[in-house]
């Protein structure tokens, strides 16, 4: 039972330290919407999403009012569309994305994820058709998010898919050039994608999930930053313990909201994702947490070690608070969405190479990073391959969300607004990786895959 001190502490975290529930995400299985007739399939998709999620937003708003806890986003994730629409007699999967978008608008949610394909070991016909449709789908919809899983520890890396995704990202940027390549902000390429991730753009409802489920993503970089101010100069043991205790409190709040939403909607509770998800707001930054540990600027030497401590302590504290931890759970480092990361990148301390090193120990990967518009598809594919290799060998989820900003060069800035924020255009290596990407085939699974 909460005592008076716990209640007042939680109120303070909400009022002054940017504590919020980043998202309530309803996962919906669309496997029973498969139909050989594309029009019938699209109609089934729209109808089922609207039927299952019609009360999601009103319920979230009611919980906000009654508990006084901000719930920033209400979202939907669906079965990877390559599976749902694979039986359709059509090469154009854009209408299915539009059906998702229309349903999202009807339900009033912020985003809908699941225009996705899982191709870590090879392509099906549906996978190929969906991937080819991604640029137009993201350019012609408002709320649809897309993801493609190109590798895993068990399967290795599908380098044909990696090469194709470089071209798809370039085309998506071109089709949304009037918005600084906004379509690419809704597209993520994964290795070891998880089936219960509530965060966009990578959320999809895995085939091993229930018919419907509620997953919640918490936030709280500001809460952790505030807590660390009380242990200046203390040893790292004290720092880790402080973060663990703080993560425990944040996760308990997420668990309470998740269970309440599950009960009111009559939908099973899935997981709480512990990820520290930053925003462009001052005081809500993962980078500032790392600097509070003693770094002058995020990205300088010691940053990877500091991030490793943060990620591990967040997981340990969260696991004590909930038996239903899942998703990605740790710390996100999206450049455009983190005020401190933006400042460090503008200063030149935070580079693409340093971000790649940091992804070895954080929750995801190279996230919301703007690169010059003339960056080649092969270079983008090579960056994806590097991140996929980190995930594959380390048995962790890694991802790439790059924006090759049309017409922009190093030093320019892209701006998306809202949670997506803004980002300086960062340099990439000018030397070519084209011959490497042109090889195709599959990078074999590592020795770690042989665990049966």
């Amino acid at each position: 039972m909460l005592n008076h001190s716990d209640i007042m502490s939680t109120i303070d975290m909400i009022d002054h330290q940017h504590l919020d529930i980043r998202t309530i995400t309803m996962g919906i299985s669309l496997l029973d919407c498969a139909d050989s007739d594309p029009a019938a399939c699209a109609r089934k998709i729209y109808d089922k999403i609207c039927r299952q999620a019609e009360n999601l937003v009103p319920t979230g708003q009611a919980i906000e009012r009654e508990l006084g806890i901000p719930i920033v986003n209400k979202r939907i994730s669906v079965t990877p569309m390559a599976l749902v629409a694979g039986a359709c007699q059509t090469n154009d999967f854009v209408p299915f994305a539009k059906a998702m978008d229309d349903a999202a608008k009807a339900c009033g949610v912020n985003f809908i994820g699941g225009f996705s394909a899982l191709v870590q070991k090879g392509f099906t016909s549906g996978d190929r058709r969906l991937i080819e449709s991604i640029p137009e789908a993201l350019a012609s919809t408002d709320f649809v998010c897309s993801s493609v899983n190109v590798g895993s520890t068990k399967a290795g890396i599908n380098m044909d898919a990696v090469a194709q995704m470089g071209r798809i990202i370039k085309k998506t940027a071109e089709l949304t050039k009037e918005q600084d390549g906004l379509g690419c902000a809704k597209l993520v390429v994964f290795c070891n994608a998880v089936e219960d991730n509530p965060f966009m753009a990578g959320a999809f409802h895995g085939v091993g999930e229930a018919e419907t489920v509620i997953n919640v993503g918490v936030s709280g970089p500001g809460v952790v930053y505030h807590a660390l101010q009380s242990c200046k100069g203390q040893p790292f043991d004290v720092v880790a313990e402080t973060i663990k205790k703080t993560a425990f409190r944040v996760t308990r709040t997420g668990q309470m909201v998740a269970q309440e939403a599950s009960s009111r909607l009559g939908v099973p509770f899935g997981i709480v994702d512990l990820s520290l998800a930053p925003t462009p707001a001052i005081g809500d930054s993962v980078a500032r947490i790392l600097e509070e540990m003693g770094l002058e600027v995020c990205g300088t030497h010691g940053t990877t070690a500091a991030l490793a401590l943060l990620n591990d302590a967040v997981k340990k504290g969260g696991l004590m608070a909930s038996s239903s931890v899942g998703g990605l759970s740790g710390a996100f480092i999206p450049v455009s969405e983190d005020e401190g990361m933006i400042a460090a990148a503008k200063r030149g301390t935070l580079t693409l190479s340093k971000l790649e090193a940091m992804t070895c120990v954080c929750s995801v990967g190279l996230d919301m990073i703007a690169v010059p518009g003339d960056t080649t598809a092969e270079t983008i594919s090579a960056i994806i391959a590097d991140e996929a290799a980190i995930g594959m060998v380390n048995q962790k989820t890694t991802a790439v969300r790059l924006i090759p900003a049309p017409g922009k060069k190093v030093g320019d800035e892209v701006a998306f607004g809202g949670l997506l924020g803004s980002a300086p255009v960062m340099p990439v290596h000018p030397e070519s990786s084209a011959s490497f990407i042109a090889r195709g085939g599959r990078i074999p699974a590592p020795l770690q895959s042989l665990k049966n």
Side-chain angles (χ1 to χ4, degrees):
M1 179 178 292
L2 292 175
N3 58 34
H4 181 266
S5 176
D6 291 329
I7 294 169
M8 296 307 295
S9 174
T10 301
I11 291 172
D12 187 58
M13 289 192 294
I14 293 168
D15 288 345
H16 303 295
Q17 300 167 30
H18 301 280
L19 174 63
D20 59 51
I21 301 302
R22 185 53 47 86
T23 179
I24 293 178
T25 301
M26 177 179 281
I28 303 172
S29 173
L30 298 182
L31 290 174
D32 56 352
C33 296
D35 197 298
S36 59
D37 178 2
C41 183
R43 185 174 62 254
K44 289 179 181 180
I45 289 168
Y46 175 85
D47 289 345
K48 184 167 186 182
I49 293 171
C50 290
R51 185 171 64 252
Q52 297 288 350
E54 62 178 343
N55 294 318
L56 176 62
V57 171
T59 300
Q61 292 171 337
I63 294 172
E64 279 187 278
R65 288 192 303 269
E66 293 170 29
L67 299 184
I69 300 171
I71 302 173
V72 180
N73 293 287
K74 294 82 178 174
R75 298 167 172 169
I76 296 169
S77 64
V78 299
T79 309
M81 194 52 59
L83 301 176
V84 179
C88 289
Q89 302 299 310
T90 180
N91 290 323
D92 182 12
F93 277 27
V94 174
F96 307 123
K98 290 183 176 178
M100 292 169 61
D101 200 50
D102 290 342
K105 291 172 180 175
C107 294
V109 297
N110 305 94
F111 285 111
I112 182 168
F115 197 73
S116 306
L118 310 177
V119 297
Q120 58 268 25
K121 207 168 183 179
F123 299 93
T124 65
S125 169
D127 294 330
R128 293 186 185 279
R129 287 176 284 161
L130 181 131
I131 292 172
E132 287 296 330
S133 298
I134 287 174
E136 187 180 346
L138 296 182
S140 60
T141 59
D142 296 314
F143 301 128
V144 171
C145 292
S146 179
S147 60
V148 178
N149 192 69
V150 298
S152 72
T153 301
K154 281 289 188 182
I157 303 172
N158 181 348
M159 289 301 291
D160 293 322
V162 169
Q164 185 177 15
M165 289 312 299
R167 298 188 292 270
I168 292 296
I169 290 169
K170 286 284 288 184
K171 187 174 180 181
T172 302
E174 180 62 27
L175 290 182
T176 56
K177 62 183 178 182
E178 300 303 321
Q179 297 88 37
D180 281 344
L182 176 62
C184 297
K186 299 185 289 180
L187 171 60
V188 58
V189 184
F190 276 118
C191 177
N192 287 324
V194 297
E195 297 189 338
D196 54 5
N197 166 27
F199 288 101
M200 300 297 169
F204 63 87
H205 188 70
V207 295
E209 296 287 309
E211 182 73 10
T212 55
V213 69
I214 288 292
N215 296 322
V216 166
V218 299
S219 185
V223 181
V224 175
Y225 173 76
H226 180 83
L228 289 184
Q229 291 179 323
S230 66
C231 54
K232 291 182 183 293
Q234 296 294 311
F236 283 116
D237 316 69
V238 176
V239 172
E241 195 65 24
T242 301
I243 295 171
K244 282 165 55 181
K245 291 177 179 177
T246 306
F248 176 89
R249 290 158 62 200
V250 170
T251 305
R252 291 298 285 179
T253 304
Q255 171 104 347
M256 177 175 63
V257 170
Q259 291 176 329
E260 189 66 24
S262 169
S263 174
R264 296 189 186 195
L265 290 165
V267 173
F269 164 42
I271 57 93
V272 175
D273 188 313
L274 311 176
S275 299
L276 293 181
T279 72
I282 302 296
D284 200 27
S285 161
V286 170
R288 299 304 186 195
I289 295 173
L290 305 181
E291 291 168 359
E292 185 62 27
M293 292 186 199
L295 305 172
E296 183 178 355
V297 179
C298 179
T300 193
H301 306 297
T303 299
T304 305
L307 182 60
L309 183 154
L310 173 64
N311 212 52
D312 180 66
V314 165
K315 290 176 186 288
K316 287 175 178 174
L319 282 170
M320 291 295 291
S322 174
S323 59
S324 300
V325 170
L328 299 165
S329 290
F332 288 167
I333 51 172
V335 173
S336 82
E337 299 173 12
D338 186 307
E339 166 269 325
M341 297 284 178
I342 294 169
K346 286 181 176 179
R347 187 164 172 169
T349 308
L350 189 65
T351 64
L352 200 58
S353 295
K354 185 59 177 178
L355 281 163
E356 184 179 302
M358 293 165 68
T359 64
C360 296
V361 299
C362 78
S363 285
V364 194
L366 298 173
D367 197 15
M368 288 301 290
I369 296 171
V371 297
D374 60 0
T375 303
T376 66
E378 291 81 7
T379 294
I380 293 171
S381 294
I383 293 171
I384 293 170
D386 283 342
E387 273 303 297
I390 289 171
M392 175 184 72
V393 172
N394 290 288
Q395 304 177 66
K396 69 185 293 293
T397 302
T398 51
V400 172
R401 192 161 43 146
L402 287 184
I403 300 102
K408 304 276 185 173
K409 60 184 185 299
V410 174
D412 291 339
E413 188 172 287
V414 296
F416 303 118
L419 286 176
L420 296 177
S422 62
V425 176
M426 300 176 70
V428 299
H429 291 303
E431 293 79 13
S432 174
S433 307
S435 296
F436 174 77
I437 295 300
R439 287 180 178 271
R442 188 155 56 94
I443 293 180
L447 187 61
Q448 295 95 310
S449 67
L450 300 177
K451 287 197 167 186
N452 289 339

